[in-house]
Amino acid sequence: LPPECQSSDRLAPFALNLTTPEWTDRFCSDVLRSHSPCCPRSPRSAHSSRFSFSPCRPLSPICPSSPDFPSSPYLLTPTVTKTPACAHGEGCPWMMGMLGGGLSCVVSVADLCQSVVLHTGMLLGAEGTSLALVRKDCDGKRNLEVLTPLTALGCVNEETLYSQAHRELVKGLMGCVLATSSPVNLRDASEDPRFILDSDQASKISAVLCVPIKNHRREMVGVVVMINKINSYDGSVSVFTSVDEKVLFNHMDVFGMILDNIQLYESSRQEAKRSQALLEMAQVLSKEHHSFGILLSKMAATIMPFTHAQYCTIFIPSNQTLPLHDKRDIIDVDPSYALQSLMAVKTLNISKVSDDSRQSLVCCPVTNEQSENVIAVCQLMNKRCRDSGELEAFNRYDERLLEDLAVYCGLALQYVQAVKITEERKASIEVTREVLAYHISATEQEIEALQEATIPSAESLHLFDFHFSGFGLQEDLTTQAAVRMFLDLHLVQDFSIDYKSLCQWVLTVRRGYRNNVPYHNWNHALSTAQSMFAMLMATGQLQNIFTRLEILALMVSTLSHDLDHRGVNNSYIERTHQPLSQLYGHSSLENHHYNLCVFILNNTGNPILSGLSTEQHRTVLHMIKRAILATDLSVYMQYVVLSNVKVNASCTYECVLTLSMLMTASDLSAVTKPWSEHKKITKLVAMEFFAQGDKEKEEFKIKPLDIMNRENSTRLPCMQVEYIDDICYPLYKVCNYLLTKVDFYVQNRAGQYGPKLMSQYLFSKWRYTI
């Protein structure tokens, strides 16, 4: 071909999504109706169509669309038809070149289309040509995508020879052929009274040949149009003959088969490109990004090379406006198309051609997978041809690739937003912790008063007595009693606890209990600690059972085991969906008590565990957690199994059981008090339970448990006896058995009898499993 016929400027693929308009149906109907001799001719309004025409031969009736067939899974082997190919016969260089391996130089469908229109246009002597391929949208509707627009073949700069009216005519012709699957051959459009053109337009277009392109399954895959057959002798315009039509059909048959191969190859290449793009986007998301701007920049940098876009803009919608994050240093970015995509919640593909510039862009909404709300709009602008660098339109593949990448963009944006929210909540928690630490910490005056006070002896405070009562003690004496227990157990000396830190910790723990809770308050915590202290001090041999770390953990646990108790049980917290139940799931109160205990231990000024090594510190916290969680009575009832089966377990297992059992025994020690003390405590417990029952009646409109139903107040003595018989008595029976046999356990701890024999001896009647 001569060089002037190979210009990429005039034939550069500038794709345009073209659907058959409504007037095309009327246009095709007019063509068929006008061909019938029974159809009267009537003038046409300029509004419906500016032109009409008469075909040179009868057109086939409008046929229904071909059924859809799956794409061929293999490369087709084209066969040469017996119809003369062209002026060269069956030895047409273009056809033989394509069939003989010329496909290796074709890199895309657009290149193949450009090659075929150049060859057939020059072969038939056409002045201009255009080709479009059939595409199907998401709804299955067929439409035409113009890959080579109506372009003059003669000169380099004659693309503008044809006006918009001519282009609209070509679109209508293509739509008619798409609807009828039949060719259209116009001898002279200007002489047909139904085809109205002004003199300037009539001088540029006369004969038209438009034929369908079909694949080996006889499915219509495209339409090609030839404009004005030029006589090679004198340059005059002549009509397209039946031979021209056969030649064009023959070439289009070969082209249709070759197109299947190219599309299959291009599809596999696009899928590989798509997989690579998604992989690189996933790699971007796999890395931690604390900066929102950096993440957007990396996403844009990943998208642009695969789509050959010049610019990538990510718009973040907010209150019907579109603030933007752009890859380029351009302040004036038009968000109108992104706003249209946002409102329509669908991909928008725009191709604009003006006198001095071309512009193509595609906008894709990025949705939240959970709420399906649009959280961003990704816009690509000005696609550049990979080889020539010329501007071209974004095709359907670019749209699909951008839609796939938009899913990753949505995940990335949600991740960054989640990280931002998490960081904000962390900061809020830190502020809350600072406020809590300030208000829960004891004042300097209180610390100095306790530090300088003379701590009474354990005898004078009755701390060795199992009948100890905290009701008669003054508030200052309660904290002094707690300090005395630590001193007499030699915990201060053994673990190098700073005395001032011990005083501040005790005072802070006291502040951690709510005074408006009738029973689970500081007095209950002190009574629990005193019961544990009394059991440890009742015989020196019992202390030899546990390590010094275990004793420290027991004393810290008893004083802290009900910190910030709200006067309701776990069941009520779960039914009311309080944050505690959402945070912990089970044993909500006990987990909260433990976490608050750790918070106080780690708070500035309370480093009573600072003398421990890292391993000892980790171990003692683990023991404290076990001990506090053991005070959950629902867990106690689930896991304590009374049986005559002997225990076969290790000594560590037995120690854990013993620690948990003593912790529960100390927590329930109110039932061991004298009658006057027991009666007083029982009323406080009933007051707390009845208050919860009243809340359940009001909030849930249900009848509470008998023990929490105020209407059963007269049955309180009976319910208390049931509580003692079912829960307390079995527990204390084993405790008593253990304490009376502790000397035997200590004497044989070195291994004379072994862990298995000791477990059989101590738990021959009762088995506890946790």
Side-chain angles (χ1 to χ4, degrees):
L1 297 178
E4 62 270 15
C5 297
Q6 300 180 8
S7 170
S8 60
D9 291 338
R10 295 178 292 106
L11 293 175
F14 194 72
L16 171 65
N17 286 336
L18 170 66
T19 58
T20 305
E22 295 181 0
W23 60 265
T24 302
D25 297 333
R26 296 197 298 269
F27 185 62
C28 296
S29 301
D30 289 343
V31 172
L32 296 176
R33 192 166 54 249
S34 64
H35 179 71
S36 173
C38 301
C39 178
R41 297 181 179 181
S42 59
R44 281 164 173 73
S45 64
H47 178 70
S48 62
S49 176
R50 295 186 54 211
F51 37 74
S52 59
F53 61 91
S54 176
C56 64
R57 57 178 177 169
L59 296 177
S60 301
I62 297 178
C63 300
S65 302
S66 304
D68 296 336
F69 291 92
S71 301
S72 175
Y74 53 86
L75 295 179
L76 302 175
T77 305
T79 58
V80 181
T81 178
K82 294 181 179 180
T83 305
C86 57
H88 299 281
E90 294 186 355
C92 170
W94 181 85
M95 294 176 62
M96 298 304 296
M98 291 293 102
L99 297 176
L103 290 176
S104 59
C105 63
V106 179
V107 296
S108 67
V109 173
D111 291 341
L112 179 63
C113 293
Q114 182 173 338
S115 174
V116 72
V117 296
L118 280 173
H119 174 70
T120 54
M122 297 299 295
L123 183 65
L124 299 182
E127 181 186 61
T129 182
S130 180
L131 187 145
L133 296 182
V134 176
R135 306 295 189 197
K136 287 186 179 182
D137 57 20
C138 298
D139 300 328
K141 183 179 179 181
R142 297 191 305 170
N143 56 71
L144 290 172
E145 181 181 1
V146 178
L147 291 188
T148 57
L150 180 59
T151 309
L153 297 177
C155 302
V156 175
N157 296 321
E158 287 193 0
E159 185 178 347
T160 58
L161 283 175
Y162 302 108
S163 65
Q164 185 63 27
H166 295 113
R167 298 180 188 279
E168 292 299 324
L169 169 63
V170 171
K171 294 177 184 178
L173 287 169
M174 288 181 171
C176 181
V177 174
L178 175 64
T180 63
S181 297
S182 300
V184 172
N185 194 340
L186 299 180
R187 292 179 175 274
D188 192 344
S190 62
E191 292 181 358
D192 195 314
R194 292 163 296 175
F195 188 81
I196 303 173
L197 289 175
D198 56 35
S199 59
D200 179 64
Q201 294 169 341
S203 64
K204 295 180 182 179
I205 187 169
S206 178
V208 177
L209 176 60
C210 185
V211 301
I213 305 170
K214 297 183 179 181
N215 60 16
H216 74 289
R217 295 183 297 270
R218 309 314 298 163
E219 297 174 338
M220 187 170 175
V221 295
V223 179
V224 65
V225 175
M226 298 291 166
I227 302 294
N228 291 348
K229 180 178 176 65
I230 304 299
N231 195 319
S232 59
Y233 297 102
D234 56 6
S236 61
V237 177
S238 60
V239 298
F240 292 99
T241 65
S242 59
V243 175
D244 295 329
E245 188 172 334
K246 289 181 179 179
V247 169
L248 188 58
F249 262 116
N250 191 39
H251 279 73
M252 291 305 106
D253 284 343
V254 175
F255 170 69
M257 291 186 289
I258 295 174
L259 182 64
D260 269 359
N261 291 337
I262 292 295
Q263 287 178 329
L264 181 61
Y265 166 72
E266 192 171 66
S267 176
S268 62
R269 190 179 64 175
Q270 289 176 346
E271 284 302 314
K273 176 181 174 182
R274 173 178 173 270
S275 299
Q276 182 65 26
L278 298 180
L279 178 61
E280 291 191 13
M281 183 63 77
Q283 290 175 348
V284 170
L285 301 185
S286 65
K287 300 178 181 178
E288 188 174 1
H289 302 283
H290 295 288
S291 172
F292 194 62
I294 292 177
L295 177 61
L296 293 180
S297 298
K298 288 186 177 180
M299 288 194 300
T302 303
I303 294 173
M304 287 193 295
F306 289 99
T307 56
H308 304 293
Q310 186 177 6
Y311 303 117
C312 176
T313 309
I314 300 178
F315 298 89
I316 308 298
S318 175
N319 299 327
Q320 303 302 323
T321 61
L322 282 171
L324 55 92
H325 294 266
D326 204 329
K327 179 67 180 171
R328 53 191 171 135
D329 294 330
I330 296 180
I331 300 177
D332 186 15
V333 178
D334 183 12
S336 58
Y337 295 110
L339 188 58
Q340 293 179 31
S341 179
L342 170 68
M343 296 302 180
V345 195
K346 65 179 182 180
T347 303
L348 184 66
N349 195 340
I350 301 294
S351 298
K352 299 188 298 182
V353 181
S354 60
D355 296 336
D356 56 349
S357 66
R358 287 179 175 178
Q359 186 183 38
S360 62
L361 62 88
V362 57
C363 298
C364 178
V366 179
T367 58
N368 186 319
E369 292 297 325
Q370 296 179 347
S371 63
E372 297 184 355
N373 294 329
V374 178
I375 59 177
V377 177
C378 186
Q379 175 179 290
L380 300 178
M381 189 181 223
N382 293 350
K383 179 180 180 180
R384 295 283 183 180
C385 180
R386 181 179 55 184
D387 298 324
S388 64
E390 296 293 328
L391 285 178
E392 58 183 1
F394 293 98
N395 53 35
R396 177 56 188 155
Y397 169 74
D398 296 324
E399 295 179 21
R400 287 184 56 200
L401 180 58
L402 185 60
E403 289 169 355
D404 292 337
L405 293 174
V407 176
Y408 285 82
C409 289
L411 295 175
L413 294 175
Q414 292 177 64
Y415 168 75
V416 171
Q417 291 175 354
V419 170
K420 183 179 179 181
I421 293 174
T422 302
E423 290 178 349
E424 291 176 351
R425 289 180 177 174
K426 283 184 178 179
S428 177
I429 291 173
E430 288 301 320
V431 173
T432 303
R433 288 171 62 90
E434 291 176 3
V435 174
L436 176 61
Y438 173 78
H439 288 284
I440 201 175
S441 298
T443 63
E444 285 295 330
Q445 293 80 4
E446 292 176 322
I447 298 173
E448 291 179 1
L450 180 56
Q451 184 180 2
E452 296 174 359
T454 301
I455 306 299
S457 63
E459 291 82 357
S460 61
L461 293 173
H462 305 287
L463 296 180
F464 297 131
D465 191 353
F466 283 101
H467 296 167
F468 170 84
S469 174
F471 288 107
L473 290 180
Q474 298 178 359
E475 188 175 12
D476 292 342
L477 289 178
T478 59
T479 55
Q480 294 175 16
V483 173
R484 171 52 62 187
M485 288 186 280
F486 272 76
L487 292 173
D488 285 7
L489 286 171
H490 304 286
L491 298 178
V492 175
Q493 300 87 334
D494 292 347
F495 297 104
S496 303
I497 300 176
D498 181 72
Y499 187 71
K500 181 179 180 181
S501 297
L502 176 63
C503 295
Q504 181 171 344
W505 176 78
V506 171
L507 291 169
T508 303
V509 169
R510 187 185 68 179
R511 280 175 170 261
Y513 286 90
R514 302 191 179 193
N515 295 327
N516 60 342
V517 177
Y519 173 67
H520 291 96
N521 49 38
W522 167 245
N523 283 332
H524 167 65
L526 181 64
S527 296
T528 303
Q530 184 274 331
S531 297
M532 180 65 71
F533 174 78
M535 285 190 289
L536 292 173
M537 298 297 290
T539 170
Q541 300 298 340
L542 183 59
Q543 294 188 43
N544 294 329
I545 297 178
F546 304 117
T547 65
R548 301 301 295 164
L549 273 181
E550 289 170 340
I551 295 175
L552 175 64
L554 284 173
M555 295 307 300
V556 172
S557 301
T558 51
L559 283 175
S560 308
H561 78 283
D562 274 332
L563 277 169
D564 196 43
H565 200 288
R566 283 87 189 284
V568 292
N569 60 12
N570 286 322
S571 175
Y572 178 84
I573 290 176
E574 292 174 3
R575 281 181 292 177
T576 52
H577 304 290
Q578 294 185 19
L580 282 181
S581 64
Q582 299 174 1
L583 185 61
Y584 301 113
H586 65 89
S587 299
S588 302
L589 281 172
E590 287 70 28
N591 278 288
H592 177 57
H593 303 327
Y594 167 72
N595 285 332
L596 191 54
C597 170
V598 175
F599 171 75
I600 294 175
L601 287 172
N602 294 333
N603 191 21
T604 303
N606 304 322
I608 63 171
L609 304 181
S610 60
L612 304 181
S613 65
T614 303
E615 182 63 27
Q616 288 176 325
H617 190 274
R618 181 167 52 250
T619 302
V620 78
L621 288 183
H622 182 68
M623 294 175 181
I624 292 172
K625 185 173 184 178
R626 276 183 175 273
I628 293 179
L629 292 182
T631 61
D632 184 355
L633 282 184
S634 63
V635 175
Y636 168 78
M637 293 301 298
Q638 291 174 13
Y639 289 102
V640 173
V641 179
L642 303 181
S643 168
N644 290 325
V645 181
K646 299 178 181 180
V647 174
N648 184 8
S650 66
C651 184
T652 302
Y653 176 72
E654 293 172 0
C655 289
V656 171
L657 291 176
T658 306
L659 283 170
S660 300
M661 180 179 60
L662 293 182
M663 190 70 191
T664 305
S666 300
D667 189 27
L668 305 182
S669 61
V671 298
T672 67
K673 305 298 181 181
W675 168 246
S676 59
E677 186 80 8
H678 184 181
K679 182 178 179 181
K680 189 182 298 184
I681 295 175
T682 301
K683 288 183 178 180
L684 293 176
V685 174
M687 185 185 303
E688 193 172 297
F689 283 179
F690 290 159
Q692 176 178 328
D694 295 341
K695 292 179 182 178
E696 292 177 348
K697 288 181 181 179
E698 180 180 354
E699 296 178 15
F700 307 129
K701 309 300 180 184
I702 62 173
K703 182 179 180 181
L705 297 175
D706 289 344
I707 197 173
M708 296 185 178
N709 192 348
R710 195 179 296 274
E711 297 176 1
N712 294 332
S713 59
T714 56
R715 295 188 58 250
L716 183 58
C718 296
M719 292 188 294
Q720 185 67 9
V721 170
E722 293 174 358
Y723 166 70
I724 294 174
D725 289 342
D726 297 338
I727 297 178
C728 302
Y729 176 72
L731 172 66
Y732 287 113
K733 187 174 182 180
V734 174
C735 288
N736 179 69
Y737 187 76
L738 172 64
L739 293 176
T740 56
K741 300 298 181 181
V742 68
D743 289 341
F744 180 85
Y745 179 80
V746 173
Q747 292 171 6
N748 296 280
R749 189 178 186 186
Q752 179 180 352
Y753 295 94
K756 181 176 180 180
L757 183 59
M758 284 307 306
S759 62
Q760 293 174 352
Y761 182 77
L762 292 176
F763 302 97
S764 58
K765 294 184 178 180
W766 316 106
R767 189 182 77 175
Y768 292 82
T769 59
I770 295 181

